[in-house]
């Protein structure tokens, strides 16, 4: 039982089977490599940021972030507003590069407007290089979670057993806020756990390690890196697998099903009843 | 349509006079009410006057029935033709199930819906559409019938002698009233008596906290500020047969706040370890897992009925239908720094019950 | 097609005669045919609502039987070894594993499961719609009170039948639902704990719940429901169907089409239409993806945990209830925050439903049989009460999904819940008042129309310069629709009717009667129509009858609204 995720989705007896076979072989080799090479205890990246990156990052930081987070990222005391969240940004000392990559990379920062919580923006205002530079600068302020290395994000080599473990951990640790299929859910006072449908592997990983907004932190000791990878693998597999039942109605459960039964079911049947009761012309 | 009864202003059998108080409204109004003009003249359908339209309707019905046949054959083809076996990779199997569900469902729709529409269309267009009239009869019997029925019943009751023999009547009532009790008592062994089961959980002094579901003891130092860990007692698997019942009471969440943010009630100052607190995850309202933790506000939210608990106020209810705070599990660290229960829960966990007090 | 006509004494005819003869000899078929075959049923689309309910029940029996062949009603735990990889190796109950096997291993299993579940949702929905149709048209009045009570019982049994079925797959979502059901039992004062321990065979979740729910779901409740449906249908045939008022349709007749063949073809056809529509929905829209929910375990939970829609109003009631309703007294816990919005509310709603026909009977003092339906506008108070109840119900239903609504519309769930708490008490009375006013307004419009004819939209200018709209007269059939109903007045205005107002019952009866009928619009009488035609030429006219009608124009605003 060492089938890989990429093999699972591959069509059998497809004309491109040879190409896929090669791809499979490559993936397997990669998986084997990943399995054999001793893994570091945590997902720290091997390369450290260069001084020029940090300097560039500081410039970007001062131009874009310092208004709220302070010129040295020290933050300000959050003054609670009526909504219960602060106007000034929190201290960024020790939040780590992962927090910057997540917040800026998903467009949550810079905060476009005050609301119950930061929401992802349609358009990301910075290139990945700029984000990395800011991340390097913030990481230099104090030790914190780093941007995860590729090996913890490469889910193609996950086995079915690992995906099953991921689903089990997801159900206990994540589903209560993000819903059984990662469709998201409501929190208190207008805050929400966002849907996870089109979130990249890296951002999911970083959210777990940094605990953005209301989300708690799941560090490498509470959920091990390989378990985080299994969770991501599970999410990606259920979001790419064919839906056996048909339209999922937003994965919202009985509420959307009930609405559909009333609107479409009762609607169509009453339509038929009206036709049946009409006199023929 | 020789059988058609022509509508009449008055039914042939006028309703039996009702002896109960007929509302005076109708009597008072009858003189000043309009008279019923009777059924409007029948308008013929196109198919009744135009043989070509009738022929067309006939063809439509037949076409629908043929479509239904095709649908049925399609259903058979979809059931036999779409193989599940052989698709052992689960993506392929799901795709096959998805295709099969759509194909069978759609073919079934065609076979059923076309048959139904065909039959109704047939009835609407080609069967006679002159309305018929039936007359109603009052449910109530005539006065004579009622008098006879009353007499029969009275005679019968008199024949039983119940009026003269109250002893029989009273003992019969007693016997009939008692009888269902035995049925109730047959249910005795559907379950054990509650005893103190609801007050006990798996937690006890020295029980290590392990991660749910991965397992593994938890170092206090590993529980970072702002994090949540879902926890089970280490030996919970020993519950064996009763595992789920015990899990349903023993589920705990472990949170870490700044020690100064916690406000433990008097006598509970040492229930936490350096800002790490453990609370029952089972809602005191209806028993759902209260696991939605907002690390910025320190609120715990129940996904079932939105009861909100404030961890900084000893998990007091600040919103929603729950009444009682979440019970706290006293914890400490062992010499290696692992978290362990200082004692079991000091009060019953989960939803309220009568004897809880 | 007249092929049989060309062969007068064909073999088919002989065969048919043989079968008919046998049927008559053995069960007296000729009497049955005489009695029933030509029974007349009135036609109206709203009479099909109950039929949707009936046919979905039949679909549920058919598909449910199929599902029992594969379902294993056991809470025994096994590692999952089926095809769905994301659950491999996890410990699941046999009930859950077999439900997944029905979905992924049994050919056509998933479509049947989806048809069963969609049919269940539509079954309860159509029952509710049917019930409101019966209520708003007054079809529950004498002699149909018993049938109304049977219907109310069927509706509540349908909810329980649905809940037990929803629980059988033993997935995470339904297990959470069972957990809540257990809390509802625990909250019953005095006996709650014992109730729960006997029902669950010990502590929640125990090992016997699924098999017990299974027996309740496939045997006990369907048997009771089948018996009640049979009684419902028997009374329907006995009473003959009600009909809407219209020319030629009286309280003493029934106008429509014969059972055989027209109604049989329509009814039979409608079964297949209902089945077809549900098959279509089930083919393309997923329902209850149990593989995605995962197996039940008391520790995990999913955001947006909801029951199926028919339990939503109870869940909503629980969500709106504040926590301080729970209190401790004499060392015992009174969980009124659970007991009242679940057990008590069901009992109260059932009691009100069952009692309603008699409440209205007391208010009207009218003990006659009614076979002609009311147009809802002609019963403003009843219609208002119905809309009030509907509003109350819908607010509870919305509250049952408040977290999903908050999530979808980016609202604060706290504000939403507080708002719904307020609306629950404010909106229903407003709905009652507004509906009643709308009904009275519609009745006034009917009066206007009956007196002055239909507005044609044609404006003419009179010689002295005034503009008027030409009104076309109604023919007698059209007018009958507007004037056929009886005026209902408070009992005070009918000295002979009702109980003695000095007795307690009489006081209640008169008060009820005032509540129902103080505000009313009386139907036009022939005298009023006559007067309307005579009084033309007095006062400011702003309407005219088309010149083709003898005695041309008149308008009057003299509505005889009293009270």
């Amino acid at each position: 039982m060492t089938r890989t995720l990429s093999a699972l989705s591959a069509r059998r007896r497809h004309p491109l089977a040879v190409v896929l076979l090669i791809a499979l072989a490559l993936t397997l080799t990669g998986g084997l490599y990943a399995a054999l090479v001793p893994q570091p205890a945590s997902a720290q990246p091997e390369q450290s940021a260069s001084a020029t990156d940090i300097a560039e990052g500081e410039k970007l930081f001062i131009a874009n972030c310092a208004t709220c987070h302070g010129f040295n990222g020290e933050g300000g005391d959050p003054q609670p507003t009526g909504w219960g969240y602060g106007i000034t940004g929190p201290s960024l000392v020790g939040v780590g590069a992962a927090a910057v990559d997540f917040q800026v990379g998903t467009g949550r920062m810079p905060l476009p407007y005050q609301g119950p919580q930061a929401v992802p923006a349609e358009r990301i205002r910075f290139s990945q290089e700029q984000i990395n530079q800011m991340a390097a600068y913030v990481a230099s302020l104090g030790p914190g979670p780093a941007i995860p290395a590729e090996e913890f994000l490469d889910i193609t080599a996950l086995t079915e057993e690992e995906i099953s473990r991921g689903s089990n951990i997801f159900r206990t640790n994540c589903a209560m806020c993000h819903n059984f299929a990662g469709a998201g859910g409501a929190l208190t006072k207008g805050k929400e756990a966002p849907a996870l449908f089109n979130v990249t592997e890296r951002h999911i990983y970083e959210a777990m390690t940094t605990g953005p907004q209301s989300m708690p932190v799941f560090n490498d000791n509470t959920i091990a890196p390989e378990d985080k990878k299994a969770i991501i693998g599970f999410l990606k597999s259920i979001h790419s697998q064919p839906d056996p039942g048909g339209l999922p109605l937003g994965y919202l459960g009985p509420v959307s099903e009930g609405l559909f039964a009333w609107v479409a079911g009762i609607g169509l049947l009453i339509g038929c009843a009206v036709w049946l009761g009409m006199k023929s012309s | 349509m020789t059988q058609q009864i022509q509508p009449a202003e008055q039914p042939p059998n006028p309703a039996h006079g009702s002896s109960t108080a007929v509302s005076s409204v109708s009597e008072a109004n009858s003189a000043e009410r309009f008279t019923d003009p009777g059924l409007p003249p029948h308008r013929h359908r196109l198919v009744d006057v135009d043989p070509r339209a009738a022929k067309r309707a006939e063809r439509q019905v037949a076409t629908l029935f043929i479509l239904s046949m095709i649908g049925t054959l399609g259903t058979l083809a979809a059931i036999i033709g779409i193989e599940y076996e052989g698709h052992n990779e689960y993506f392929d199997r799901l795709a096959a199930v998805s295709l099969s569900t759509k194909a069978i469902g759609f073919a079934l729709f065609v076979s059923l819906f076309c048959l139904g529409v065909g039959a109704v269309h047939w009835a609407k267009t080609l069967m006679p559409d002159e309305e018929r009239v039936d007359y109603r009869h009052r449910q109530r019997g005539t006065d004579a019938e009622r008098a006879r029925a009353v007499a029969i019943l009275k005679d019968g009751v008199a024949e039983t002698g119940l009026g003269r023999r109250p002893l029989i009547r009273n003992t019969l009532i007693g016997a009939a009233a008692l009888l269902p009790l035995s049925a109730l008592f047959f249910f005795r062994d559907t379950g054990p008596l509650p005893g103190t089961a609801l007050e006990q959980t798996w937690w006890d002094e020295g029980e290590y906290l392990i991660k749910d579901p991965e397992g593994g003891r938890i170092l206090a130092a590993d529980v970072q500020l702002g994090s949540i860990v879902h926890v089970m007692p280490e030996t919970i698997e020993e519950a064996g047969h009763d595992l789920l019942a015990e899990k349903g009471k023993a589920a705990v969440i472990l949170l870490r706040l700044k020690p100064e943010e916690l406000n433990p009630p008097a006598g509970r100052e040492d229930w936490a370890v350096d800002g790490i607190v453990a609370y029952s995850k089972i809602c005191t309202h209806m028993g759902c897992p209260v696991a939605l933790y907002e690390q910025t506000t320190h609120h715990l939210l129940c996904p079932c009925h939105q009861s909100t608990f404030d961890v900084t106020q000893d998990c007091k209810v600040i919103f929603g239908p729950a009444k009682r705070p979440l019970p706290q599990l006293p914890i400490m660290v062992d010499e290696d720094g692992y978290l362990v229960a200082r004692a079991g829960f000091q009060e019953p966990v989960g939803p309220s019950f009568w004897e809880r007090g | 097609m007249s092929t049989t006509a060309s062969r007068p004494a064909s073999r088919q005819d002989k065969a048919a005669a043989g079968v008919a003869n046998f049927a008559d000899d053995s069960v007296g078929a000729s009497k049955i045919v005489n009695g029933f075959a030509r029974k007349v049923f009135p036609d109206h689309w709203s009479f099909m609502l109950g039929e949707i309910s009936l046919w979905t029940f039949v679909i549920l029996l058919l598909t449910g039987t199929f599902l029992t062949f594969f379902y294993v009603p056991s809470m025994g735990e096994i590692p999952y070894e089926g095809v769905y990889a994301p659950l491999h190796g996890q410990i699941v109950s046999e009930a859950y594993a077999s439900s997944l096997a029905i979905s992924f291993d049994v050919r056509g299993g998933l479509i049947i499961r989806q048809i069963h579940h969609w049919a269940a949702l539509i079954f309860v929905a159509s029952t509710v719609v049917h019930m409101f149709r019966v209520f708003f048209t007054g079809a529950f009045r004498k002699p149909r009170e018993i049938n109304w009570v049977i219907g109310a019982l069927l509706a509540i049994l349908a909810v329980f039948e649905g809940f037990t079925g929803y629980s059988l797959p033993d997935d995470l979502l339904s297990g959470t639902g069972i957990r809540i059901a257990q809390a509802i039992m625990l909250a019953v004062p005095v006996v709650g704990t014992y109730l729960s321990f006997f029902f669950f065979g010990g502590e929640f979740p125990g090992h016997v719940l699924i098999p017990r729910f299974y027996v309740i779901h496939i045997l006990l409740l369907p048997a009771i429901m089948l018996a009640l449906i049979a009684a419902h249908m028997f009374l329907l045939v006995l009473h003959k169907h009600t009909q809407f008022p219209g020319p030629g349709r009286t309280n003493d007749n029934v106008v429509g089409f014969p059972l055989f063949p027209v109604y049989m073809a329509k009814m039979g056809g409608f079964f297949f239409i209902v089945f077809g529509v549900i098959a279509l929905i089930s083919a393309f829209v997923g329902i209850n993806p149990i593989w995605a929910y995962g197996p039940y375990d008391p520790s995990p939970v999913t955001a947006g945990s909801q029951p199926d829609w028919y339990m939503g109003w109870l869940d909503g009631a629980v969500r709106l209830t504040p926590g301080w309703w729970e209190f401790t007294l004499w060392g015992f816990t009174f969980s009124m925050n659970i007991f009242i919005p679940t057990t008590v509310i069901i009992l109260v709603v059932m009691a009100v439903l069952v009692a309603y026909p008699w409440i209205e009977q007391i208010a009207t003092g009218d003990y006659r049989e009614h076979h002609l339906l009311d147009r809802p506008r002609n019963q403003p108070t009843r219609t208002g009460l119905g809309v009030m109840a509907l509003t109350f119900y819908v607010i509870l239903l919305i509250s049952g999904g408040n977290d999903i609504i908050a999530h979808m519309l980016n609202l604060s769930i706290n504000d939403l819940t507080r708002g719904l708490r307020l609306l629950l008490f404010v909106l229903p009375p407003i709905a009652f008042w507004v509906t009643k006013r709308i009904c009275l307004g519609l009745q006034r419009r009917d009066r206007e129309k009956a007196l002055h004819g239909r507005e044609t939209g044609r404006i003419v200018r009179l010689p002295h310069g005034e503009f008027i709209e030409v009104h076309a007269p109604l023919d007698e059939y059209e007018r009958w629709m507007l004037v056929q109903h009886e005026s209902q007045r408070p009992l005070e205005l009918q000295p002979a009717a009702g109980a003695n107002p000095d007795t307690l019952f009489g006081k209640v009866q008169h008060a009820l009667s005032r509540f129902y009928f103080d505000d009313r619009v009386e139907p036009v009488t022939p005298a009023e129509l006559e007067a309307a035609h005579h009084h033309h030429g007095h006062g400011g006219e702003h309407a005219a009858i088309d010149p083709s009608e003898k005695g041309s124009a008149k308008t009057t605003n003299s509505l005889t609204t009293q009270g």
Side-chain angles (χ1 to χ4, degrees):
Chain A
M1 297 295 269
T2 48
R3 286 188 294 263
T4 63
L5 194 58
S6 62
L8 296 179
S9 55
R11 289 247 156 267
R12 293 157 63 86
R13 285 187 297 273
H14 194 273
L16 293 176
V18 179
V19 182
L20 280 169
L21 207 62
I22 296 170
L24 180 72
L26 287 172
T27 326
L28 270 177
T29 317
L32 213 60
Y33 175 79
L36 291 177
V37 169
Q39 295 185 354
S42 94
Q44 299 300 326
E46 313 84 71
Q47 88 283 11
S48 56
S50 73
T52 47
D53 279 348
I54 295 177
E56 285 300 315
E58 184 169 10
K59 279 187 208 154
L60 283 164
F61 181 88
I62 287 169
N64 295 291
C65 322
T67 332
C68 299
H69 292 287
F71 282 90
N72 300 309
E74 74 280 13
D77 256 343
Q79 299 299 316
T81 66
W83 289 89
Y85 45 84
I87 300 176
T88 46
S91 163
L92 300 186
V93 177
V95 300
V100 179
D101 190 49
F102 175 85
Q103 299 283 0
V104 185
T106 59
R108 284 177 167 82
M109 292 289 151
L111 196 63
Y113 55 87
Q114 289 289 336
Q117 72 184 38
V119 291
E122 291 289 311
R123 205 173 56 82
I124 311 303
R125 288 174 49 186
F126 301 95
S127 70
Q128 190 57 47
E129 192 191 355
Q130 290 172 312
I131 294 171
N132 289 344
Q133 288 166 342
M134 281 187 276
Y137 167 70
V138 170
S140 73
L141 299 174
I147 297 172
E150 275 305 311
E151 64 184 287
F152 291 101
L153 306 175
D154 179 20
I155 53 166
T156 48
L158 286 177
T159 63
E160 288 185 355
E161 279 64 33
E162 285 173 301
I163 287 172
S164 174
R165 196 177 74 228
S167 95
N168 202 7
I169 301 171
F170 180 88
R171 257 202 320 279
T172 305
N173 286 276
C174 320
M176 74 295 244
C177 295
H178 290 286
N179 147 310
F180 60 91
L187 299 174
T188 65
K189 296 184 180 160
K191 298 188 285 296
E192 60 157 15
L196 306 175
F197 290 130
N198 292 310
V199 187
T200 64
E201 288 88 339
R202 196 175 81 246
H203 289 149
I204 296 175
Y205 196 103
E206 287 166 348
M208 287 191 266
T209 54
T210 62
Q213 277 76 36
S214 301
M215 181 166 164
V217 179
F218 298 91
N219 64 24
D220 287 349
N221 298 311
T222 49
I223 295 183
E226 53 271 28
D227 287 343
K228 288 196 176 86
K229 186 165 144 183
I231 290 173
I232 296 169
F234 161 70
L235 271 176
K236 291 297 166 192
S237 81
I238 60 166
H239 291 163
S240 56
Q241 80 194 18
D243 229 305
L247 292 179
L249 299 179
Y251 297 104
L252 292 176
V255 171
S256 52
E257 290 163 4
L259 195 65
F260 191 85
W262 271 96
V263 175
I266 294 292
L268 279 172
L269 289 174
I270 287 184
C272 293
V274 169
W275 169 74
L276 186 142
M278 263 178 350
K279 276 181 101 64
S280 173
S281 58
Chain B
M1 286 300 99
T2 49
Q3 292 176 333
Q4 167 124 25
I5 304 160
Q6 286 308 310
E9 293 300 316
Q10 292 296 320
N13 283 333
H16 309 301
S18 165
S19 61
T20 41
V22 172
S23 166
S24 57
V25 184
S26 61
E27 286 165 14
N29 278 1
S30 55
E32 44 184 76
R33 298 201 52 194
F34 285 89
T35 47
D36 185 349
L39 280 181
H42 182 71
R43 272 215 309 271
H44 286 293
R45 295 167 298 189
L46 193 57
V47 289
D48 296 327
V49 291
D50 180 0
R52 275 181 314 168
K55 195 74 198 162
R56 198 162 56 233
E58 185 187 333
R59 275 198 302 269
Q60 284 164 347
V61 172
T63 309
L64 284 163
F65 287 165
I66 290 168
L67 274 177
S68 168
M69 290 185 226
I70 294 171
T72 305
L73 294 177
T75 311
L76 306 186
I79 292 174
I80 297 168
I82 299 171
E83 256 321 314
Y84 283 7
E85 303 305 321
H87 293 288
N88 289 326
E89 307 289 8
Y90 100 91
F91 264 51
D92 287 354
R93 173 65 79 99
L94 293 194
V97 173
S98 175
L99 177 66
S100 146
T101 302
K102 288 183 181 67
I104 297 176
F106 184 73
L108 208 54
F109 158 71
V110 172
S111 70
L112 294 164
F113 192 76
C114 291
L115 182 57
V117 170
V120 173
H121 192 54
W122 177 21
K124 279 176 62 167
T125 53
L126 295 170
M127 293 185 193
D129 83 328
E130 278 92 358
E131 286 180 318
R132 293 159 169 277
V133 180
D134 247 2
Y135 293 98
R136 296 183 190 273
H137 310 281
R138 292 288 171 267
Q139 302 304 315
R140 187 188 166 86
T142 60
D143 288 349
E145 282 165 340
R146 287 162 68 92
R148 202 159 58 239
V150 169
I152 290 172
L153 292 176
K154 273 192 176 152
D155 285 354
V157 171
E159 281 162 22
T160 62
L162 278 179
R164 281 174 292 125
R165 303 188 215 281
L167 189 61
I168 290 184
R169 187 193 62 204
N170 294 347
T171 47
L172 176 64
I173 291 172
L178 269 180
L179 193 61
L181 270 184
S182 61
L184 200 62
F185 275 70
F186 268 106
F187 285 92
R188 169 59 190 90
D189 270 344
T190 50
L193 296 180
T196 56
L198 289 179
E199 278 135 53
Q200 288 158 355
T201 72
W202 201 260
W203 290 103
D204 205 352
E205 185 183 348
E207 184 76 42
Y208 278 92
L209 282 69
I210 60 164
K211 285 184 272 184
D212 177 27
E214 311 100 292
R217 292 183 184 179
I218 303 160
L219 273 173
D222 286 348
V223 183
Q224 195 182 329
L225 210 59
S227 64
I228 180 171
V229 187
H230 299 260
V231 168
M232 280 290 163
E234 189 177 44
T235 61
I236 187 85
E237 295 289 338
E238 289 168 18
H241 193 60
D242 296 322
L243 180 63
L244 285 187
E246 289 302 335
K247 279 177 100 172
K249 292 187 295 181
V252 157
I253 39 178
L254 195 65
L255 310 161
R256 183 166 203 161
L257 286 72
K258 293 177 190 146
E260 63 270 21
E261 286 173 326
L262 295 170
N263 295 293
R268 291 215 221 146
E269 291 83 358
D270 57 350
W271 285 21
V273 175
D274 198 20
I276 303 175
V277 282
Y279 282 96
S280 166
K281 189 159 92 171
I282 306 304
C283 190
T284 56
H285 178 226
M286 293 177 115
C288 289
V290 188
L292 286 71
Y293 177 56
E294 299 175 3
Q295 61 125 331
T296 45
T297 56
H298 311 302
H299 292 168
L300 280 161
L301 174 70
C302 179
C304 290
H305 304 100
Q306 287 80 47
S307 295
T308 311
F309 303 84
D310 187 347
V311 183
T312 64
Q313 298 181 64
D314 188 36
C315 283
K316 187 181 100 171
V317 179
I318 55 167
F319 186 80
K323 168 72 181 285
R324 290 177 293 107
L326 295 172
Q328 185 177 6
L329 179 72
I331 53 170
M332 57 185 186
V333 286
D334 71 357
E335 57 272 22
D336 299 321
Y338 287 104
L339 290 167
V340 62
R342 181 181 287 274
F345 279 109
Q346 304 295 301
E347 57 179 316
V349 300
S352 303
F353 51 96
W354 178 252
E355 297 86 350
R356 189 183 184 284
Chain C
M1 311 302 275
S2 53
T3 47
T4 46
S6 58
R7 288 180 289 138
S10 67
R11 239 182 300 165
Q12 285 105 308
D13 283 359
K14 274 186 199 153
V19 170
N21 189 39
F22 175 74
D24 196 27
D25 286 351
S26 48
V27 294
S30 64
K31 294 189 201 78
I32 298 172
V33 170
N34 280 323
F36 289 99
R38 288 299 197 176
K39 226 170 160 53
V40 164
F41 282 86
D43 228 1
H44 190 268
W45 68 266
S46 71
F47 299 164
M48 292 289 121
L49 295 170
E51 219 168 89
I52 298 176
S53 185
L54 175 68
W55 291 141
T56 41
F57 186 76
V58 174
I59 295 168
L60 287 167
L61 291 180
L62 292 173
T63 52
T65 306
F66 176 86
L67 294 175
T68 60
F69 294 155
F70 304 99
Y71 175 74
V72 182
S74 158
M75 294 173 96
E77 290 180 335
I78 49 169
Y80 178 69
E81 301 292 358
V83 290
Y84 191 66
L87 292 172
H88 269 186
Q90 297 188 32
I91 302 298
V92 302
S93 69
E94 288 180 88
Y96 183 72
S98 64
S99 302
L100 286 183
I102 290 172
S103 307
F104 297 141
D105 298 331
V106 176
R107 267 178 279 196
L110 185 57
I111 186 72
I112 296 291
R113 240 198 79 215
Q114 301 208 135
I115 290 176
H116 193 72
H117 206 132
W118 280 120
L121 296 195
I122 292 171
F123 170 57
V124 193
S126 57
T127 305
V128 170
V129 181
H130 171 58
M131 217 161 171
F132 274 102
R133 196 284 291 170
V134 168
F135 181 84
F136 283 122
T137 58
F140 55 82
R141 290 173 299 172
K142 206 175 199 58
R144 295 183 179 77
E145 305 99 320
I146 298 294
N147 229 11
W148 166 261
V149 171
I150 292 174
L153 286 176
L154 276 168
I156 197 77
L157 287 177
V159 169
F160 285 114
E161 174 71 350
F163 180 75
T164 50
Y166 159 90
S167 304
L168 288 183
D170 203 18
D171 56 283
L172 183 58
L173 189 65
S174 70
T176 307
I178 296 176
R179 171 92 237 200
I180 291 169
Q182 190 241 359
I184 292 174
M185 289 184 201
L186 281 181
V188 175
V190 187
V191 296
T193 317
Y194 288 84
L195 208 61
S196 160
F197 270 69
F198 288 141
F199 202 86
F200 284 79
E203 287 189 77
F204 170 85
H207 302 276
V208 297
L209 187 80
I210 291 288
R212 285 182 187 173
F213 262 24
Y214 183 62
V215 168
I216 293 172
H217 181 73
I218 71 154
L219 183 79
L220 190 61
L221 288 178
I224 298 172
M225 291 175 77
L226 214 50
L228 287 175
I229 288 173
H232 207 63
M233 306 305 293
F234 170 76
L235 287 177
L236 164 77
V237 171
L238 182 75
H239 293 146
K240 299 195 171 88
H241 206 286
T242 51
Q243 59 189 351
F244 275 101
R249 287 148 209 261
T250 71
N251 206 29
D252 297 309
N253 72 8
V254 51
V255 181
F257 299 105
L259 179 65
F260 182 78
V262 178
Y263 224 74
M264 241 158 156
K266 282 191 171 183
M267 264 182 86
F270 197 57
F271 168 69
F272 291 107
I273 289 176
V274 172
F275 206 160
V277 166
I278 292 176
L280 180 69
I281 290 174
S282 309
F284 296 106
V285 188
I287 188 163
N288 202 22
I290 48 169
W291 52 89
Y293 295 140
Y296 182 64
D297 179 322
S299 173
V301 70
T302 169
S305 282
Q306 316 279 355
D308 271 353
W309 80 262
Y310 41 79
M311 294 295 274
W313 66 290
L314 292 173
D315 206 43
V318 170
R319 288 175 188 217
L320 293 189
T321 309
W324 54 262
W325 284 22
E326 177 180 314
F327 56 90
T328 309
L329 204 62
W330 307 303
F332 295 110
T333 305
F334 291 75
S335 299
M336 294 302 126
N337 56 342
I338 299 174
F339 185 59
I340 290 177
T342 54
T343 314
V344 172
I345 207 172
I346 292 179
L347 294 175
V348 168
V349 165
M350 281 311 289
V352 171
L353 268 183
V354 166
Y356 188 81
W358 287 279
I359 295 174
E360 202 182 289
Q361 220 166 64
I362 292 170
T364 55
D366 177 359
Y367 300 101
R368 296 168 301 160
E369 289 186 12
H370 290 277
H371 302 285
L372 267 190
L373 296 173
D374 286 318
R375 299 171 79 206
R377 67 181 62 174
N378 290 336
Q379 291 286 354
T381 306
R382 179 205 294 151
T383 307
L385 287 173
V387 175
M388 182 171 92
L390 189 61
T391 311
F392 186 79
Y393 180 84
V394 168
I395 292 173
L396 289 182
L397 193 56
I398 289 173
S399 307
N402 60 358
D403 50 340
I404 302 284
I405 294 168
H407 178 51
M408 288 289 110
L409 305 180
N410 289 321
L411 298 171
S412 157
I413 195 160
N414 305 62
D415 296 342
L416 187 65
T417 304
R418 290 195 193 97
L420 285 165
R421 277 178 188 161
L422 186 70
L423 288 181
L424 186 67
F425 294 98
V426 172
L427 221 48
I430 293 178
F432 170 73
W433 190 83
V434 169
T435 308
K436 194 172 165 185
R437 291 295 125 191
I438 289 174
C439 287
L440 291 169
L442 287 171
Q443 280 186 284
R444 289 198 187 95
R445 212 173 67 183
D446 283 355
R447 272 187 62 87
E448 283 289 303
K449 202 166 147 190
L451 284 172
H452 310 302
R454 196 180 331 102
E455 290 171 5
T456 59
R458 201 147 60 80
I459 310 289
V460 295
R461 191 179 174 192
L462 296 181
H464 59 275
E466 188 188 350
F467 287 95
I468 59 162
E469 185 182 3
V470 177
H471 282 214
L474 299 177
D475 64 34
E476 56 179 344
Y477 301 113
E478 287 174 301
R479 188 187 304 121
W480 177 246
M481 283 301 290
L482 308 177
V483 300
Q484 49 77 29
H485 58 288
E486 278 180 1
S487 160
Q488 283 174 307
R489 297 172 187 166
L491 289 169
E492 283 136 334
L493 304 179
Q494 311 169 50
N500 180 356
D502 296 332
T503 62
L504 178 66
F505 178 76
K507 282 198 181 84
V508 171
Q509 187 178 30
H510 279 73
L512 259 182
S513 170
R514 269 197 307 281
F515 169 70
Y516 268 85
F517 303 117
D518 244 6
D519 290 337
R520 69 187 174 283
V521 176
E522 309 243 348
V524 173
T525 62
E528 280 176 317
L529 186 66
E530 194 64 18
H533 287 186
H534 273 302
H535 285 291
H536 73 96
H538 300 285
E541 296 181 9
H542 51 262
I545 296 281
D546 196 282
S548 63
E549 168 85 340
K550 58 150 192 162
S552 55
K554 178 53 210 131
T555 164
T556 167
N557 292 323
S558 66
L559 292 183
T560 46
T561 312
Q562 288 135 22

